[in-house]
């Protein structure tokens, strides 16, 4: 998964502690699993909202009277804020009850979606997206660890997998689902439905979430550890080119299918669903590949993605060429989060939460930069030029992985959660 940071197995302060003292040594109750489910669904709603504009970009641009390039700011601005919000919230939250934090973040997610659904102009939409940036940084920081504290120690891996499944599903399915709703009922309906889903999540959390006290506070000094490790530095550098290249193109996937491949709205929605399906397959495939070689999996993902981006400019028009590009691209994107998360876990085995926190920031900076670079390129040189630039950025990432990434530090990676 994009995973992104979305595959992050430990971001908060729980990972470094063998078990939560408050977790009883008995089977988790149904209410505990429902509470875990509410966090997973909330994370799904948050990630879906983050990437919603990608599948609806041209519709929103027309509705709010801005260019496609300017509309890309809807992806750029929350990414910038989230890059700082994640690490800052880790430190600022201190010993604050995670139940309170999660409920506040879910409320903020509802507000962001409703404001976007009723936005009368683009400035209002950007305010909604800034609110979302706080949600993104906060959810990545607190949700996975909070879920593990809701169940006994023996069930923590299962609880974590549910939350990460919510992230994975949103990453690969949120965009096509939002695009499908937008095609049927208009782009505002997509935000309204996601806001309604978040409202249900909030009610369940108010009902079922118990107090979730943190086991210890994370200090600012803890976040600096990965910056002293060579392979963590290499991984973060690769992330900047890899993810910036991806999002410089991915932000404009729908216009690419419409304008370059000449596809009708129904065909575009179909291919976005195909993208989500093959991306989900790529996520599970990535789990197996990373357990064998993090470097090889990362290099494979980069080369596949670069191939899809560059191929899109020369393969021709029509549904079949578009499908070929989408399938290669989707599988590559499914590999990316698992590979990069695995890289950082292997690079900083003794400080995984700090490594993943910086990885989240790196992802968000790259997402914002990529969307901005893509927008400028699309407005000035067209979509095909943006694909070529994106492919070049991803090839730089492949070069970094293939050369600087040869001598890895840290303990070998036995397995990565899928």
């Amino acid at each position: 998964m994009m995973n992104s940071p979305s595959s992050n197995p430990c971001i908060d302060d729980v990972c470094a502690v063998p078990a939560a003292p408050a977790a009883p040594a008995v089977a988790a109750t149904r209410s505990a699993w429902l509470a875990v489910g509410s966090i997973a669904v909330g994370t799904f709603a948050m990630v879906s909202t983050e990437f919603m504009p990608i599948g609806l970009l041209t519709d929103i641009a027309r509705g709010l009277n801005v260019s496609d390039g300017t509309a890309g700011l809807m992806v750029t601005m929350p990414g910038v804020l989230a890059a700082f919000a994640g690490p800052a919230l880790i430190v600022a939250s201190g010993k604050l009850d995670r139940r309170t934090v999660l409920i506040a973040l879910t409320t903020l997610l509802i507000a962001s979606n409703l404001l976007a659904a009723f936005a009368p102009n683009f400035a209002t939409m950007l305010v909604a997206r800034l609110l979302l940036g706080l949600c993104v940084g906060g959810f990545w920081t607190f949700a996975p660890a909070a879920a593990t504290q809701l169940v006994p120690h023996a069930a923590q891996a299962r609880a974590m997998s549910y939350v990460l499944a919510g992230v994975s599903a949103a990453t690969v399915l949120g965009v096509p689902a939002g695009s499908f709703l937008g095609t049927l009922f208009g782009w505002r309906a997509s935000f309204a439905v996601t806001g309604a889903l978040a409202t249900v999540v909030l009610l369940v959390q108010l009902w079922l979430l118990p107090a979730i006290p943190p086991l210890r506070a994370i200090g600012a000094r803890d976040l600096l550890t990965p910056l002293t490790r060579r392979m963590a530095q290499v991984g973060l550098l690769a992330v900047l080119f890899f993810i910036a290249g991806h999002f410089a193109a991915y932000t404009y996937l729908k216009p690419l299918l419409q304008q370059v491949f000449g596809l009708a709205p129904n065909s575009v929605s179909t291919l976005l669903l195909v993208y989500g399906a093959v991306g989900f397959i790529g996520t599970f495939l990535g789990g197996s590949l990373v357990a064998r070689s993090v470097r090889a999996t990362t290099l494979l993902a980069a080369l596949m993605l670069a191939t899809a981006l560059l191929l899109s400019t020369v393969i021709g028009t029509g549904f079949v060429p578009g499908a070929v590009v989408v399938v290669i691209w989707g599988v590559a994107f499914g590999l990316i989060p698992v590979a990069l998360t695995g890289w950082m876990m292997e690079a900083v085995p003794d400080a995984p939460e700090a490594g993943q926190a910086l990885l989240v920031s790196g992802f968000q900076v790259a997402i914002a930069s990529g969307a901005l670079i893509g927008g400028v390129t699309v407005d000035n040189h067209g979509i095909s030029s943006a694909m070529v630039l994106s492919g070049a950025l991803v090839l730089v990432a492949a070069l970094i992985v293939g050369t600087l990434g040869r001598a890895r530090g840290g303990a070998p990676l036995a397995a990565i959660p899928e």
Side-chain angles (χ1 to χ4, degrees):
M1 65 171 190
M2 170 172 187
N3 227 287
S4 72
S6 54
S7 295
N8 183 6
C10 44
I11 294 178
D12 202 2
D13 48 310
V14 178
C15 313
V17 181
V26 297
T29 63
R30 177 179 297 181
S31 62
W33 285 115
L34 286 174
V36 171
S38 74
I39 296 175
V41 176
T43 307
F44 171 86
M46 182 272 296
V47 178
S48 296
T49 302
E50 181 180 11
F51 296 129
M52 191 82 73
I54 294 173
L56 300 169
L57 191 135
T58 53
D59 306 278
I60 297 174
R62 286 196 301 269
L64 297 179
N65 299 313
V66 295
S67 70
D68 286 352
T70 300
L73 290 172
M74 292 184 292
V75 179
T76 301
M77 294 186 69
V80 170
L81 187 56
F84 296 98
L89 287 173
I90 291 177
V91 177
S93 62
K95 291 285 189 177
L96 186 64
D97 189 338
R98 294 328 190 213
R99 178 184 189 273
T100 302
V101 174
L102 289 173
I103 287 173
L105 290 170
T106 304
T107 302
L108 202 60
L109 178 61
I110 296 170
S112 172
N113 274 286
L114 292 182
L115 190 60
F118 294 100
N121 51 51
F122 191 65
T124 305
M125 174 62 80
L126 290 184
V127 172
R129 301 300 290 176
L130 287 174
L131 294 179
L132 177 68
L134 292 175
C135 294
V136 171
F139 268 107
W140 284 132
T141 301
F142 300 108
T148 64
Q149 288 186 253
L150 294 171
V151 298
H153 181 59
Q156 287 181 356
R158 183 181 170 195
M160 179 71 70
S161 71
Y162 284 177
V163 174
L164 296 182
V167 175
S168 299
T171 302
V172 298
L173 297 176
V175 171
S179 177
F180 182 72
L181 285 173
T183 299
L184 292 179
F185 306 109
W187 62 267
R188 294 181 185 274
S190 298
F191 287 103
V193 169
T194 309
L197 177 62
T199 301
V200 174
V201 169
L202 176 63
L203 294 176
V204 174
Q205 289 177 345
L206 288 170
W207 176 33
L208 293 176
L209 277 185
I212 312 176
L215 299 177
R216 70 178 182 89
I218 294 290
R221 186 182 298 273
D222 296 321
L223 299 176
L224 300 179
T225 300
L227 298 180
T228 66
R229 308 291 174 85
R230 178 177 178 273
M231 291 317 298
Q233 296 168 358
V234 172
L236 290 172
L237 181 61
V239 163
L240 293 178
F241 285 96
F242 206 154
I243 304 304
H246 176 264
F247 276 91
Y250 183 53
T251 306
Y252 303 96
L253 176 56
K254 186 173 182 178
L256 172 73
L257 295 174
Q258 290 176 324
Q259 299 173 27
V260 175
F261 290 101
L263 301 182
N266 288 340
S267 295
V268 171
S269 296
T270 298
L271 286 186
L272 288 175
L273 288 171
V274 169
Y275 179 94
V278 298
F280 206 69
I281 294 171
T283 297
F284 286 99
L285 177 63
S288 300
L289 295 177
V290 163
R292 297 172 185 168
S293 173
V294 169
R295 177 173 170 268
T297 306
T298 306
L299 189 58
L300 174 63
L303 293 176
M304 287 183 65
L305 179 56
T307 297
L309 294 173
L310 297 175
L311 191 61
S312 70
T313 65
V314 298
I315 196 173
T317 61
F319 185 84
V320 173
V324 170
V325 169
V326 162
V327 168
I328 298 173
W329 193 342
V331 173
F333 183 64
L335 295 173
I336 291 171
V338 186
L340 295 176
T341 298
W343 183 292
M344 191 59 69
M345 289 178 66
E346 196 171 89
V348 198
D350 57 328
E353 67 278 9
Q356 297 305 316
L358 287 186
L359 184 62
V360 170
S361 293
F363 258 83
Q364 296 302 329
V365 168
I367 289 171
S369 301
L372 181 60
I373 292 169
V376 172
T377 305
V378 166
D379 280 352
N380 290 282
H381 304 288
I383 292 176
S384 292
S385 295
M387 298 300 118
V388 172
L389 175 61
S390 299
L393 290 172
V394 176
L395 285 176
V396 172
L399 184 63
I400 292 170
V401 171
T403 55
L404 300 179
R406 285 185 180 276
R408 297 198 304 274
L413 194 67
I416 289 292
E418 297 182 18

